[in-house]
Amino acid sequence: MSSKKSTPSHDHDQVHQPPKEFAKKARIPSLAAYRKLYQKSIEKPAGFWAKEAKELLWRKKWSKTLEWKAPFAKWFVGGRLNVCENCVDRHAEGARKNKAAIIWEGEPGDKRVLTYGQLQREVCRFANVLEKKGVKAGERVLIYMPMIPEAAVAMLACARIGAAHNVVFGGFAADAIVDRLEDSGATTIVTADGGWRRGKVVPLKPVVDEALAKYRHVQRVIVVKRCENEVSMTDPRDTWWHDEVAAVSARHKAKAFDSEHPLFLLYTSGSTGKPKGILHTSGGYLTGTYSTCKYIFDMNDEDVYWCTADVGWITGHSYIVYGPLANGVTQVMYEGAPNFPDFGRFWKMVEEYGVTIFYTAPTAIRAFIKAGDHFPAACDLSSLRLLGSVGEPINPEAWNWYHKHIGGGKCPIVDTWWQTETGAILISPLPGATPLKAGTATLPFFGIDAAILDEAGKECKPDQDGRLVIRKPWPSMIRTIHGDKERYRKTYWSDYPGLYTAGDGARRDKDGNFWIIGRLDDVLNVSGHRLGTAEIESALVSHPAVAEAAVIGRPDDLKGQAVAAFVTLKGGFDESVGLREELRGHVGKVIGAIAKPDDLFFTPGLPKTRSGKIMRRLLKELVTTGTVAGNVTTLEDFSVVENLQRQISESRARQ
Ligand code: WT7
């Protein structure tokens, strides 16, 4: 569990009422209006969601809104639609034809604008390419791309032809690609030569080649030329995007698919084993992302929206690609790092494009605080009207800074709680209605029956810590874990039969606001990214020098949590600074740079119970406080702890 508790201290107790000007124009203009609609939506969730879904384009209307055979849901049963048509054609063939859909900036400063009309042509071309190359509805396509418009185009083209995409974050390593290919059975990869990050080229195609040396069932690799870095192309498997799209028509007739047709797989970490493939389907997912964008970001035709996530994460799927485009909004997309060439980059872009809604992560906000107030102060940020936060609890210091230095004290902040599995935001303020307090995601969205239960399954009293559950199905929910229904049932639906357990600890205050405390399982939240301790441990143990490893999270001012690893070496290997760096690099190579341990301690043994279980609680206490004060009577060998205590205090003294 994250130790960053969001308990309100006195100076952070302040309640921020929605600004009157904002409320006047908002879709939900008061707390009373929210409560009324919420009450109705909770009595008849299907009624609420059906009304939302009707705002989308269906080729065939559904016959039944929800079929719930716990834990398996079907939404809009019998309905048929094309998700891509809803995000693109609906606007391109109407008044928004020449409206900017994506205003893109590359890290080096190159710029591109795609109107809805142009986006339609690009998407149709790539859909034609996929079909021409034999990609069929129901097949999986792995996408490994930098943040360039082609990433969104590739996703939408998959949706258009009914192929399920599996986007893999560009920071992940070759083995992560291999794992996903093996699990998903993808036959096609869309990638780029590389992407720009902090002034350098991050190679992507070479990583794909490394993965394909281990996994040989991929039939086609389509490569966008972005950075002109040297790549090798294997004929006839590998082809260039620009050659392919030049050879096909910019028109493509979209077929309709069943509402429950798979839309995508996205892999995320759990507390055990390899990442699991979260399956999202079509009609329900689109309804959830569309509706939450409309109410929570209060999206309008005049808005310029910017979500700084990467399409490799669920935030990029739901709140860059599907939700905003389904709303026909104009959005900004950026390829590179927030601090390139310096920490003023985001604010210069907000000023240049007149961004009105800005959505980012607390870890980024903390980095901006550290960089200095002069960066935002140098830019005109007056276009902003709404701010958002996602990925981890936002600490009150970050909230207050964001509110003052970015929002000029006038923008509501929506602290949005959700997960890869939930598909869309479930708990969040509505900006024109909900009174805000720094650190709380406030109240559940329409149709979302959220509660906090104790271990016995009883609802917790105000301010009592417990486990966050959702008691009714919702349209954008996970449908299953790819290939493993049992794991799906066990992971999410077995703590309290029939209820969805999120894996988060939380409490509600007396006003009903949800305060998320953090994960209850062995899942870390590093800079808003989810990592399983088990995955990092298994990466460490795959190195020939390592006998055993234990990984835990420790509080970190910037990242939220940092990765601390404890490693026991095999006989014949000596502890050294060189080996420490090698092991960190090894984790980077196996999983990706985000998983590299921040601290790595060598230890002749790990603290274990007499039955051999690693005592993580104790390791956590050690790295957090430097000592162990708790009960150690079950510990098998105390000298292990003494040794670690000494190392930790030495490493602190060095810093
Ligand atoms: C976990 C889900 C949702 C997209 C990004 C992460 C934590 C997420 C918040 C928030 C407190 C949050 C939870 C959750 N989390 N948003 N607003 N306040 N915690 O998606 O990788 O699936 O991680 O992120 O612990 O369970 P994810």
Side-chain angles (χ1 to χ4, degrees), residues 34-90:
Y34 158 77
R35 290 215 192 278
K36 200 168 150 207
L37 188 49
Y38 179 75
Q39 192 51 39
K40 207 171 132 202
S41 76
I42 259 333
E43 280 157 19
K44 289 205 175 87
F48 170 77
W49 292 117
K51 194 164 160 280
E52 292 303 299
K54 273 185 201 146
E55 294 179 11
L56 299 170
L57 180 63
W58 294 80
R59 300 268 193 96
K60 182 172 170 246
K61 208 192 158 239
W62 58 93
S63 53
K64 201 173 165 198
T65 306
L66 168 67
E67 188 186 295
W68 178 227
K69 292 185 185 141
F72 300 100
K74 286 188 181 156
W75 281 90
F76 312 112
V77 183
R80 293 180 76 78
L81 79 169
N82 187 291
V83 170
C84 175
E85 176 179 53
N86 271 281
C87 294
V88 180
D89 306 54
R90 210 157 49 101

Short mmCIF file of all heavy atoms in Angstrom, two decimals, residues 34-90:
data_model
loop_
_atom_site.label_atom_id
_atom_site.label_comp_id
_atom_site.label_asym_id
_atom_site.label_seq_id
_atom_site.Cartn_x
_atom_site.Cartn_y
_atom_site.Cartn_z
N TYR A 34 -26.31 16.83 -9.74
CA TYR A 34 -25.55 15.57 -9.76
C TYR A 34 -26.27 14.52 -8.92
O TYR A 34 -26.49 13.39 -9.37
CB TYR A 34 -24.12 15.78 -9.24
CG TYR A 34 -23.49 14.48 -8.75
CD1 TYR A 34 -22.99 13.54 -9.66
CD2 TYR A 34 -23.44 14.17 -7.38
CE1 TYR A 34 -22.46 12.33 -9.22
CE2 TYR A 34 -22.91 12.96 -6.93
CZ TYR A 34 -22.41 12.05 -7.86
OH TYR A 34 -21.91 10.85 -7.41
N ARG A 35 -26.63 14.91 -7.69
CA ARG A 35 -27.23 13.93 -6.78
C ARG A 35 -28.53 13.36 -7.35
O ARG A 35 -28.79 12.17 -7.22
CB ARG A 35 -27.49 14.56 -5.41
CG ARG A 35 -26.21 14.86 -4.64
CD ARG A 35 -26.40 14.66 -3.14
NE ARG A 35 -25.28 15.20 -2.38
CZ ARG A 35 -24.12 14.55 -2.19
NH1 ARG A 35 -23.93 13.33 -2.71
NH2 ARG A 35 -23.15 15.11 -1.48
N LYS A 36 -29.30 14.20 -7.97
CA LYS A 36 -30.58 13.77 -8.52
C LYS A 36 -30.35 12.75 -9.65
O LYS A 36 -30.93 11.66 -9.65
CB LYS A 36 -31.32 15.00 -9.04
CG LYS A 36 -32.80 14.77 -9.20
CD LYS A 36 -33.55 16.06 -9.44
CE LYS A 36 -34.77 15.75 -10.29
NZ LYS A 36 -35.21 16.89 -11.09
N LEU A 37 -29.46 13.12 -10.55
CA LEU A 37 -29.21 12.22 -11.68
C LEU A 37 -28.49 10.95 -11.21
O LEU A 37 -28.74 9.84 -11.71
CB LEU A 37 -28.40 12.95 -12.76
CG LEU A 37 -28.19 12.23 -14.09
CD1 LEU A 37 -29.48 11.66 -14.67
CD2 LEU A 37 -27.53 13.15 -15.11
N TYR A 38 -27.61 11.10 -10.21
CA TYR A 38 -26.89 9.93 -9.70
C TYR A 38 -27.88 8.94 -9.09
O TYR A 38 -27.83 7.74 -9.35
CB TYR A 38 -25.83 10.34 -8.66
CG TYR A 38 -25.10 9.12 -8.11
CD1 TYR A 38 -24.15 8.45 -8.88
CD2 TYR A 38 -25.41 8.61 -6.84
CE1 TYR A 38 -23.51 7.32 -8.41
CE2 TYR A 38 -24.78 7.47 -6.37
CZ TYR A 38 -23.83 6.83 -7.15
OH TYR A 38 -23.22 5.70 -6.69
N GLN A 39 -28.77 9.46 -8.28
CA GLN A 39 -29.77 8.60 -7.62
C GLN A 39 -30.56 7.80 -8.64
O GLN A 39 -30.71 6.59 -8.54
CB GLN A 39 -30.70 9.50 -6.77
CG GLN A 39 -31.59 8.72 -5.79
CD GLN A 39 -30.78 7.74 -4.94
OE1 GLN A 39 -29.66 8.06 -4.51
NE2 GLN A 39 -31.32 6.55 -4.72
N LYS A 40 -31.00 8.53 -9.66
CA LYS A 40 -31.77 7.88 -10.71
C LYS A 40 -30.92 6.82 -11.44
O LYS A 40 -31.37 5.70 -11.71
CB LYS A 40 -32.22 8.97 -11.71
CG LYS A 40 -33.49 8.63 -12.44
CD LYS A 40 -34.00 9.83 -13.23
CE LYS A 40 -34.34 9.39 -14.63
NZ LYS A 40 -34.35 10.47 -15.61
N SER A 41 -29.66 7.17 -11.69
CA SER A 41 -28.78 6.28 -12.46
C SER A 41 -28.45 5.01 -11.68
O SER A 41 -28.17 3.97 -12.25
CB SER A 41 -27.48 7.00 -12.84
OG SER A 41 -26.61 7.09 -11.72
N ILE A 42 -28.47 5.12 -10.37
CA ILE A 42 -28.10 3.99 -9.52
C ILE A 42 -29.32 3.07 -9.32
O ILE A 42 -29.18 1.86 -9.18
CB ILE A 42 -27.52 4.54 -8.19
CG1 ILE A 42 -26.02 4.48 -8.16
CG2 ILE A 42 -28.11 3.96 -6.97
CD1 ILE A 42 -25.26 3.55 -8.90
N GLU A 43 -30.50 3.68 -9.35
CA GLU A 43 -31.71 2.85 -9.28
C GLU A 43 -31.88 2.06 -10.57
O GLU A 43 -32.25 0.90 -10.56
CB GLU A 43 -32.95 3.72 -9.03
CG GLU A 43 -33.10 4.10 -7.55
CD GLU A 43 -33.91 5.36 -7.34
OE1 GLU A 43 -34.67 5.76 -8.27
OE2 GLU A 43 -33.79 5.96 -6.25
N LYS A 44 -31.60 2.73 -11.69
CA LYS A 44 -31.74 2.06 -12.99
C LYS A 44 -30.51 2.32 -13.86
O LYS A 44 -30.57 3.11 -14.82
CB LYS A 44 -32.99 2.58 -13.70
CG LYS A 44 -34.29 2.12 -13.08
CD LYS A 44 -35.39 2.15 -14.14
CE LYS A 44 -36.69 1.60 -13.62
NZ LYS A 44 -37.55 2.59 -12.94
N PRO A 45 -29.39 1.66 -13.56
CA PRO A 45 -28.16 1.93 -14.33
C PRO A 45 -28.37 1.69 -15.83
O PRO A 45 -27.90 2.47 -16.66
CB PRO A 45 -27.15 0.93 -13.77
CG PRO A 45 -27.68 0.51 -12.45
CD PRO A 45 -29.17 0.63 -12.52
N ALA A 46 -29.08 0.63 -16.17
CA ALA A 46 -29.26 0.31 -17.59
C ALA A 46 -29.95 1.47 -18.31
O ALA A 46 -29.63 1.78 -19.46
CB ALA A 46 -30.06 -0.97 -17.75
N GLY A 47 -30.88 2.12 -17.61
CA GLY A 47 -31.58 3.25 -18.21
C GLY A 47 -30.63 4.40 -18.50
O GLY A 47 -30.65 4.98 -19.59
N PHE A 48 -29.76 4.70 -17.52
CA PHE A 48 -28.79 5.79 -17.72
C PHE A 48 -27.88 5.48 -18.90
O PHE A 48 -27.70 6.29 -19.81
CB PHE A 48 -27.95 6.03 -16.47
CG PHE A 48 -26.81 6.98 -16.73
CD1 PHE A 48 -27.03 8.34 -16.82
CD2 PHE A 48 -25.52 6.49 -16.94
CE1 PHE A 48 -25.98 9.22 -17.10
CE2 PHE A 48 -24.47 7.35 -17.24
CZ PHE A 48 -24.70 8.72 -17.31
N TRP A 49 -27.31 4.26 -18.89
CA TRP A 49 -26.33 3.92 -19.93
C TRP A 49 -26.97 3.83 -21.31
O TRP A 49 -26.34 4.19 -22.32
CB TRP A 49 -25.60 2.63 -19.57
CG TRP A 49 -24.71 2.76 -18.37
CD1 TRP A 49 -24.83 2.11 -17.17
CD2 TRP A 49 -23.56 3.62 -18.24
NE1 TRP A 49 -23.83 2.49 -16.32
CE2 TRP A 49 -23.03 3.42 -16.94
CE3 TRP A 49 -22.92 4.53 -19.09
CZ2 TRP A 49 -21.89 4.10 -16.48
CZ3 TRP A 49 -21.79 5.20 -18.63
CH2 TRP A 49 -21.29 4.98 -17.34
N ALA A 50 -28.20 3.35 -21.37
CA ALA A 50 -28.88 3.26 -22.66
C ALA A 50 -29.06 4.65 -23.27
O ALA A 50 -28.87 4.87 -24.47
CB ALA A 50 -30.23 2.56 -22.51
N LYS A 51 -29.37 5.61 -22.40
CA LYS A 51 -29.55 6.97 -22.88
C LYS A 51 -28.23 7.53 -23.43
O LYS A 51 -28.20 8.21 -24.46
CB LYS A 51 -30.06 7.83 -21.71
CG LYS A 51 -30.59 9.16 -22.13
CD LYS A 51 -31.43 9.79 -21.02
CE LYS A 51 -31.55 11.28 -21.25
NZ LYS A 51 -30.35 12.04 -20.82
N GLU A 52 -27.15 7.23 -22.74
CA GLU A 52 -25.83 7.67 -23.22
C GLU A 52 -25.49 7.01 -24.55
O GLU A 52 -25.03 7.65 -25.48
CB GLU A 52 -24.75 7.34 -22.18
CG GLU A 52 -24.86 8.13 -20.89
CD GLU A 52 -24.81 9.62 -21.14
OE1 GLU A 52 -23.80 10.11 -21.65
OE2 GLU A 52 -25.81 10.30 -20.81
N ALA A 53 -25.72 5.68 -24.60
CA ALA A 53 -25.35 4.92 -25.81
C ALA A 53 -26.13 5.41 -27.03
O ALA A 53 -25.62 5.37 -28.16
CB ALA A 53 -25.58 3.43 -25.58
N LYS A 54 -27.34 5.90 -26.80
CA LYS A 54 -28.17 6.37 -27.92
C LYS A 54 -27.58 7.58 -28.61
O LYS A 54 -27.94 7.90 -29.74
CB LYS A 54 -29.57 6.71 -27.42
CG LYS A 54 -30.49 5.50 -27.41
CD LYS A 54 -31.90 5.88 -27.02
CE LYS A 54 -32.62 4.64 -26.53
NZ LYS A 54 -33.58 4.92 -25.46
N GLU A 55 -26.66 8.28 -27.95
CA GLU A 55 -26.02 9.43 -28.58
C GLU A 55 -24.96 9.01 -29.60
O GLU A 55 -24.42 9.82 -30.32
CB GLU A 55 -25.42 10.35 -27.51
CG GLU A 55 -26.51 10.98 -26.65
CD GLU A 55 -25.97 11.88 -25.55
OE1 GLU A 55 -24.77 12.21 -25.56
OE2 GLU A 55 -26.77 12.25 -24.67
N LEU A 56 -24.64 7.72 -29.60
CA LEU A 56 -23.66 7.21 -30.57
C LEU A 56 -24.38 6.69 -31.80
O LEU A 56 -25.61 6.59 -31.82
CB LEU A 56 -22.84 6.09 -29.92
CG LEU A 56 -22.03 6.52 -28.69
CD1 LEU A 56 -21.46 5.30 -27.98
CD2 LEU A 56 -20.91 7.48 -29.07
N LEU A 57 -23.58 6.33 -32.80
CA LEU A 57 -24.17 5.83 -34.04
C LEU A 57 -24.17 4.30 -34.05
O LEU A 57 -23.11 3.67 -33.99
CB LEU A 57 -23.32 6.36 -35.22
CG LEU A 57 -23.76 5.96 -36.61
CD1 LEU A 57 -25.15 6.50 -36.94
CD2 LEU A 57 -22.75 6.48 -37.63
N TRP A 58 -25.36 3.74 -34.05
CA TRP A 58 -25.51 2.28 -34.10
C TRP A 58 -26.08 1.89 -35.45
O TRP A 58 -27.03 2.50 -35.91
CB TRP A 58 -26.44 1.81 -32.98
CG TRP A 58 -25.88 2.03 -31.61
CD1 TRP A 58 -25.87 3.20 -30.90
CD2 TRP A 58 -25.21 1.06 -30.78
NE1 TRP A 58 -25.23 3.03 -29.69
CE2 TRP A 58 -24.82 1.72 -29.59
CE3 TRP A 58 -24.89 -0.30 -30.93
CZ2 TRP A 58 -24.14 1.06 -28.55
CZ3 TRP A 58 -24.22 -0.95 -29.90
CH2 TRP A 58 -23.84 -0.27 -28.73
N ARG A 59 -25.52 0.84 -36.03
CA ARG A 59 -26.09 0.37 -37.30
C ARG A 59 -27.33 -0.48 -37.01
O ARG A 59 -28.23 -0.58 -37.82
CB ARG A 59 -25.08 -0.46 -38.07
CG ARG A 59 -23.82 0.31 -38.43
CD ARG A 59 -23.91 0.97 -39.79
NE ARG A 59 -22.56 1.40 -40.16
CZ ARG A 59 -21.75 0.69 -40.92
NH1 ARG A 59 -22.13 -0.46 -41.42
NH2 ARG A 59 -20.53 1.12 -41.18
N LYS A 60 -27.27 -1.14 -35.85
CA LYS A 60 -28.45 -1.90 -35.44
C LYS A 60 -28.63 -1.67 -33.95
O LYS A 60 -27.66 -1.78 -33.18
CB LYS A 60 -28.23 -3.39 -35.73
CG LYS A 60 -29.42 -4.25 -35.39
CD LYS A 60 -29.23 -5.68 -35.87
CE LYS A 60 -30.32 -6.56 -35.31
NZ LYS A 60 -29.79 -7.56 -34.38
N LYS A 61 -29.84 -1.35 -33.55
CA LYS A 61 -30.07 -1.07 -32.13
C LYS A 61 -30.04 -2.38 -31.32
O LYS A 61 -30.38 -3.44 -31.83
CB LYS A 61 -31.40 -0.36 -31.95
CG LYS A 61 -31.33 0.49 -30.71
CD LYS A 61 -32.62 1.06 -30.20
CE LYS A 61 -32.39 1.38 -28.75
NZ LYS A 61 -33.27 0.71 -27.85
N TRP A 62 -29.62 -2.27 -30.06
CA TRP A 62 -29.57 -3.45 -29.19
C TRP A 62 -30.97 -3.86 -28.75
O TRP A 62 -31.90 -3.04 -28.78
CB TRP A 62 -28.70 -3.17 -27.95
CG TRP A 62 -29.16 -1.99 -27.14
CD1 TRP A 62 -30.00 -2.00 -26.07
CD2 TRP A 62 -28.82 -0.61 -27.34
NE1 TRP A 62 -30.19 -0.72 -25.58
CE2 TRP A 62 -29.49 0.15 -26.35
CE3 TRP A 62 -28.01 0.08 -28.27
CZ2 TRP A 62 -29.37 1.54 -26.24
CZ3 TRP A 62 -27.90 1.46 -28.17
CH2 TRP A 62 -28.58 2.17 -27.17
N SER A 63 -31.09 -5.13 -28.37
CA SER A 63 -32.41 -5.58 -27.92
C SER A 63 -32.48 -5.58 -26.39
O SER A 63 -33.56 -5.49 -25.81
CB SER A 63 -32.69 -6.98 -28.46
OG SER A 63 -31.61 -7.84 -28.13
N LYS A 64 -31.31 -5.68 -25.74
CA LYS A 64 -31.29 -5.73 -24.29
C LYS A 64 -30.07 -4.94 -23.82
O LYS A 64 -28.97 -5.15 -24.36
CB LYS A 64 -31.13 -7.20 -23.88
CG LYS A 64 -31.57 -7.52 -22.49
CD LYS A 64 -31.53 -9.02 -22.27
CE LYS A 64 -31.60 -9.30 -20.79
NZ LYS A 64 -31.15 -10.65 -20.49
N THR A 65 -30.27 -4.02 -22.86
CA THR A 65 -29.14 -3.17 -22.49
C THR A 65 -28.04 -3.96 -21.78
O THR A 65 -26.86 -3.78 -22.06
CB THR A 65 -29.60 -1.99 -21.60
OG1 THR A 65 -30.65 -1.33 -22.29
CG2 THR A 65 -28.48 -1.02 -21.34
N LEU A 66 -28.43 -4.82 -20.84
CA LEU A 66 -27.42 -5.55 -20.07
C LEU A 66 -27.84 -6.99 -19.85
O LEU A 66 -28.98 -7.26 -19.48
CB LEU A 66 -27.21 -4.88 -18.71
CG LEU A 66 -26.40 -5.68 -17.67
CD1 LEU A 66 -24.95 -5.84 -18.09
CD2 LEU A 66 -26.48 -5.01 -16.29
N GLU A 67 -26.88 -7.88 -20.10
CA GLU A 67 -27.08 -9.27 -19.71
C GLU A 67 -25.97 -9.59 -18.72
O GLU A 67 -24.78 -9.57 -19.06
CB GLU A 67 -26.97 -10.16 -20.95
CG GLU A 67 -27.36 -11.60 -20.71
CD GLU A 67 -27.09 -12.43 -21.95
OE1 GLU A 67 -27.74 -12.19 -22.99
OE2 GLU A 67 -26.18 -13.28 -21.88
N TRP A 68 -26.32 -9.85 -17.47
CA TRP A 68 -25.32 -9.99 -16.40
C TRP A 68 -25.37 -11.38 -15.80
O TRP A 68 -26.30 -11.71 -15.06
CB TRP A 68 -25.61 -8.92 -15.34
CG TRP A 68 -24.74 -8.89 -14.12
CD1 TRP A 68 -25.16 -8.80 -12.82
CD2 TRP A 68 -23.30 -8.89 -14.04
NE1 TRP A 68 -24.10 -8.74 -11.97
CE2 TRP A 68 -22.93 -8.81 -12.70
CE3 TRP A 68 -22.27 -8.97 -15.02
CZ2 TRP A 68 -21.59 -8.80 -12.28
CZ3 TRP A 68 -20.96 -8.97 -14.61
CH2 TRP A 68 -20.62 -8.88 -13.25
N LYS A 69 -24.39 -12.19 -16.18
CA LYS A 69 -24.24 -13.49 -15.53
C LYS A 69 -22.91 -13.40 -14.81
O LYS A 69 -21.87 -13.75 -15.36
CB LYS A 69 -24.22 -14.61 -16.57
CG LYS A 69 -25.58 -14.78 -17.25
CD LYS A 69 -25.61 -15.97 -18.19
CE LYS A 69 -26.95 -16.00 -18.91
NZ LYS A 69 -26.80 -16.40 -20.32
N ALA A 70 -22.95 -12.88 -13.60
CA ALA A 70 -21.74 -12.53 -12.87
C ALA A 70 -20.69 -13.65 -12.94
O ALA A 70 -21.06 -14.80 -12.74
CB ALA A 70 -22.10 -12.23 -11.41
N PRO A 71 -19.42 -13.34 -13.20
CA PRO A 71 -18.87 -12.00 -13.44
C PRO A 71 -18.77 -11.64 -14.93
O PRO A 71 -17.89 -10.88 -15.31
CB PRO A 71 -17.48 -12.12 -12.83
CG PRO A 71 -17.06 -13.53 -13.15
CD PRO A 71 -18.33 -14.36 -13.15
N PHE A 72 -19.66 -12.18 -15.74
CA PHE A 72 -19.58 -11.90 -17.18
C PHE A 72 -20.73 -11.00 -17.63
O PHE A 72 -21.89 -11.34 -17.42
CB PHE A 72 -19.54 -13.20 -17.98
CG PHE A 72 -18.36 -14.05 -17.61
CD1 PHE A 72 -18.49 -15.12 -16.73
CD2 PHE A 72 -17.09 -13.75 -18.10
CE1 PHE A 72 -17.39 -15.88 -16.36
CE2 PHE A 72 -15.98 -14.51 -17.73
CZ PHE A 72 -16.13 -15.58 -16.86
N ALA A 73 -20.35 -9.88 -18.23
CA ALA A 73 -21.36 -8.90 -18.64
C ALA A 73 -21.41 -8.80 -20.16
O ALA A 73 -20.38 -8.88 -20.83
CB ALA A 73 -21.04 -7.54 -18.06
N LYS A 74 -22.61 -8.60 -20.68
CA LYS A 74 -22.77 -8.22 -22.09
C LYS A 74 -23.60 -6.95 -22.10
O LYS A 74 -24.68 -6.91 -21.51
CB LYS A 74 -23.50 -9.31 -22.86
CG LYS A 74 -22.63 -10.51 -23.14
CD LYS A 74 -23.35 -11.46 -24.07
CE LYS A 74 -22.47 -12.67 -24.32
NZ LYS A 74 -23.27 -13.85 -24.72
N TRP A 75 -23.08 -5.93 -22.76
CA TRP A 75 -23.80 -4.65 -22.83
C TRP A 75 -24.31 -4.41 -24.25
O TRP A 75 -23.62 -4.70 -25.21
CB TRP A 75 -22.88 -3.51 -22.41
CG TRP A 75 -22.73 -3.41 -20.92
CD1 TRP A 75 -21.79 -4.04 -20.14
CD2 TRP A 75 -23.58 -2.68 -20.01
NE1 TRP A 75 -22.00 -3.72 -18.82
CE2 TRP A 75 -23.08 -2.90 -18.70
CE3 TRP A 75 -24.70 -1.87 -20.18
CZ2 TRP A 75 -23.67 -2.32 -17.57
CZ3 TRP A 75 -25.29 -1.30 -19.05
CH2 TRP A 75 -24.76 -1.53 -17.77
N PHE A 76 -25.51 -3.88 -24.30
CA PHE A 76 -26.14 -3.53 -25.58
C PHE A 76 -26.22 -4.76 -26.49
O PHE A 76 -25.77 -4.76 -27.64
CB PHE A 76 -25.41 -2.35 -26.23
CG PHE A 76 -25.17 -1.22 -25.26
CD1 PHE A 76 -23.89 -0.88 -24.83
CD2 PHE A 76 -26.24 -0.54 -24.70
CE1 PHE A 76 -23.68 0.12 -23.90
CE2 PHE A 76 -26.05 0.48 -23.77
CZ PHE A 76 -24.77 0.80 -23.36
N VAL A 77 -26.82 -5.79 -25.91
CA VAL A 77 -26.86 -7.11 -26.54
C VAL A 77 -27.61 -7.05 -27.88
O VAL A 77 -28.73 -6.54 -27.96
CB VAL A 77 -27.56 -8.12 -25.61
CG1 VAL A 77 -27.56 -9.52 -26.23
CG2 VAL A 77 -26.89 -8.13 -24.24
N GLY A 78 -26.95 -7.58 -28.91
CA GLY A 78 -27.56 -7.61 -30.23
C GLY A 78 -27.31 -6.34 -31.04
O GLY A 78 -27.57 -6.31 -32.23
N GLY A 79 -26.79 -5.30 -30.37
CA GLY A 79 -26.51 -4.05 -31.08
C GLY A 79 -25.29 -4.21 -31.98
O GLY A 79 -24.41 -5.03 -31.71
N ARG A 80 -25.26 -3.44 -33.06
CA ARG A 80 -24.10 -3.48 -33.96
C ARG A 80 -23.63 -2.06 -34.26
O ARG A 80 -24.45 -1.16 -34.48
CB ARG A 80 -24.44 -4.21 -35.26
CG ARG A 80 -24.71 -5.71 -35.04
CD ARG A 80 -25.05 -6.42 -36.33
NE ARG A 80 -23.89 -6.66 -37.18
CZ ARG A 80 -23.00 -7.65 -36.96
NH1 ARG A 80 -23.14 -8.46 -35.93
NH2 ARG A 80 -21.98 -7.81 -37.77
N LEU A 81 -22.32 -1.87 -34.24
CA LEU A 81 -21.76 -0.54 -34.52
C LEU A 81 -20.34 -0.69 -35.02
O LEU A 81 -19.77 -1.78 -34.98
CB LEU A 81 -21.78 0.33 -33.25
CG LEU A 81 -20.68 0.11 -32.19
CD1 LEU A 81 -20.72 1.22 -31.16
CD2 LEU A 81 -20.77 -1.24 -31.52
N ASN A 82 -19.79 0.42 -35.51
CA ASN A 82 -18.37 0.44 -35.81
C ASN A 82 -17.76 1.56 -34.97
O ASN A 82 -18.13 2.73 -35.10
CB ASN A 82 -18.11 0.67 -37.31
CG ASN A 82 -16.64 0.55 -37.65
OD1 ASN A 82 -15.83 1.39 -37.24
ND2 ASN A 82 -16.28 -0.51 -38.35
N VAL A 83 -16.84 1.19 -34.08
CA VAL A 83 -16.26 2.15 -33.13
C VAL A 83 -15.53 3.27 -33.87
O VAL A 83 -15.66 4.46 -33.54
CB VAL A 83 -15.32 1.43 -32.14
CG1 VAL A 83 -14.52 2.42 -31.31
CG2 VAL A 83 -16.13 0.51 -31.22
N CYS A 84 -14.79 2.90 -34.90
CA CYS A 84 -14.02 3.88 -35.67
C CYS A 84 -14.95 4.88 -36.37
O CYS A 84 -14.69 6.08 -36.37
CB CYS A 84 -13.14 3.15 -36.68
SG CYS A 84 -12.25 4.24 -37.77
N GLU A 85 -16.01 4.38 -36.94
CA GLU A 85 -16.98 5.25 -37.59
C GLU A 85 -17.50 6.30 -36.61
O GLU A 85 -17.69 7.47 -36.95
CB GLU A 85 -18.13 4.39 -38.13
CG GLU A 85 -19.27 5.15 -38.74
CD GLU A 85 -20.35 4.22 -39.27
OE1 GLU A 85 -20.84 3.34 -38.51
OE2 GLU A 85 -20.70 4.36 -40.45
N ASN A 86 -17.72 5.87 -35.37
CA ASN A 86 -18.19 6.79 -34.34
C ASN A 86 -17.18 7.86 -33.98
O ASN A 86 -17.54 8.98 -33.64
CB ASN A 86 -18.56 6.01 -33.07
CG ASN A 86 -20.00 5.55 -33.09
OD1 ASN A 86 -20.90 6.33 -32.82
ND2 ASN A 86 -20.22 4.30 -33.47
N CYS A 87 -15.90 7.49 -34.03
CA CYS A 87 -14.85 8.43 -33.63
C CYS A 87 -14.41 9.32 -34.78
O CYS A 87 -13.85 10.39 -34.55
CB CYS A 87 -13.64 7.67 -33.10
SG CYS A 87 -13.99 6.79 -31.56
N VAL A 88 -14.60 8.86 -36.00
CA VAL A 88 -14.02 9.57 -37.14
C VAL A 88 -15.09 9.99 -38.17
O VAL A 88 -15.35 11.17 -38.36
CB VAL A 88 -12.94 8.69 -37.82
CG1 VAL A 88 -12.34 9.42 -39.01
CG2 VAL A 88 -11.85 8.32 -36.81
N ASP A 89 -15.71 9.01 -38.81
CA ASP A 89 -16.60 9.31 -39.95
C ASP A 89 -17.78 10.21 -39.56
O ASP A 89 -18.19 11.07 -40.33
CB ASP A 89 -17.16 8.01 -40.54
CG ASP A 89 -16.05 7.04 -40.92
OD1 ASP A 89 -15.22 6.72 -40.04
OD2 ASP A 89 -16.00 6.62 -42.08
N ARG A 90 -18.32 9.93 -38.36
CA ARG A 90 -19.47 10.70 -37.88
C ARG A 90 -19.16 12.21 -37.92
O ARG A 90 -20.03 13.03 -38.20
CB ARG A 90 -19.74 10.27 -36.44
CG ARG A 90 -21.16 10.35 -35.98
CD ARG A 90 -21.40 9.41 -34.82
NE ARG A 90 -20.42 9.51 -33.76
CZ ARG A 90 -20.61 10.16 -32.62
NH1 ARG A 90 -21.73 10.82 -32.41
NH2 ARG A 90 -19.67 10.18 -31.69
#
